């Protein structure tokens, strides 16, 4: 799958976001080592701590289907800036792959690519 195909899946996922408080709709598309792709969107809640980000939705969907080996994630929001994963999402992603590629896109259709270990260089790990 090309970067643009994965990003297009993230864009489509953002259309399902539930964001009545921030109006910031985010979509994510997570690619597994075996080629399967899981999408997610952010789901806000009036109790803001209960909000879940698009990246974690996609990861939870994948894990619930038995997938834990991830190679790339595309993240999109219709914004001027690149949609970067929050700290919590970076930590959750690192549980599964420190060298996962993170594609962060903006509303203009451009994107940047980082390895997760660049975005979270000194991750917290309970196991080695």
């Amino acid at each position: 799958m090309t970067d643009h195909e994965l990003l297009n899946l993230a864009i489509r996922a953002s259309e399902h976001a539930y964001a009545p408080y921030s109006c910031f709709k985010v979509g994510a598309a997570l690619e597994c080592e075996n080629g399967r792709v899981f999408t997610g969107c952010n789901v806000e809640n009036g109790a803001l701590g209960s909000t879940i980000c698009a990246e974690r939705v996609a990861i939870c969907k994948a894990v619930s289907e038995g997938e834990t080996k991830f190679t790339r994630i595309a993240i999109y929001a219709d914004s001027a800036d690149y949609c970067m994963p929050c700290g919590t999402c970076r930590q959750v992603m690192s549980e599964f792959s420190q060298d996962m590629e993170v594609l962060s896109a903006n509303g203009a259709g451009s994107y940047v690519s980082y390895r997760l270990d660049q975005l979270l260089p000194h991750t917290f790990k309970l196991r080695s």
Side-chain angles (χ1 to χ4, degrees):
M1 174 171 291
T2 68
D3 287 356
H4 289 290
E5 289 170 330
L6 195 63
L7 287 162
N8 282 333
L9 290 173
I11 291 168
R12 282 193 289 202
S14 75
E15 296 167 1
H16 299 290
Y18 179 75
Y21 306 103
S22 72
C23 298
F24 190 72
K25 295 182 173 194
V26 179
L30 176 70
E31 185 176 48
C32 300
E33 195 174 77
N34 64 8
R36 287 182 76 185
V37 175
F38 294 87
T39 60
C41 62
N42 57 320
V43 180
E44 294 182 349
N45 189 278
L48 295 178
S50 298
T51 293
I52 185 166
C53 299
E55 300 92 311
R56 285 182 281 144
V57 169
I59 290 168
C60 289
K61 286 170 66 176
V63 171
S64 73
E65 294 292 323
E67 300 292 347
T68 58
K69 295 183 181 182
F70 310 136
T71 57
R72 294 189 300 169
I73 189 165
I75 308 161
Y76 168 85
D78 186 11
S79 60
D81 293 327
Y82 296 113
C83 189
M84 302 300 288
C86 73
T88 300
C89 287
R90 293 175 195 203
Q91 181 62 43
V92 169
M93 287 188 274
S94 76
E95 182 74 15
F96 300 99
S97 173
Q98 262 301 102
D99 63 348
M100 177 190 312
E101 183 180 12
V102 179
L103 306 174
S104 297
N106 64 18
S110 62
Y111 70 98
V112 291
S113 172
Y114 297 96
R115 299 232 70 82
L116 181 57
D117 60 2
Q118 292 175 287
L119 298 177
L120 187 67
H122 302 287
T123 185
F124 173 78
K125 286 244 186 220
L126 284 177
R127 41 174 209 204
S128 51

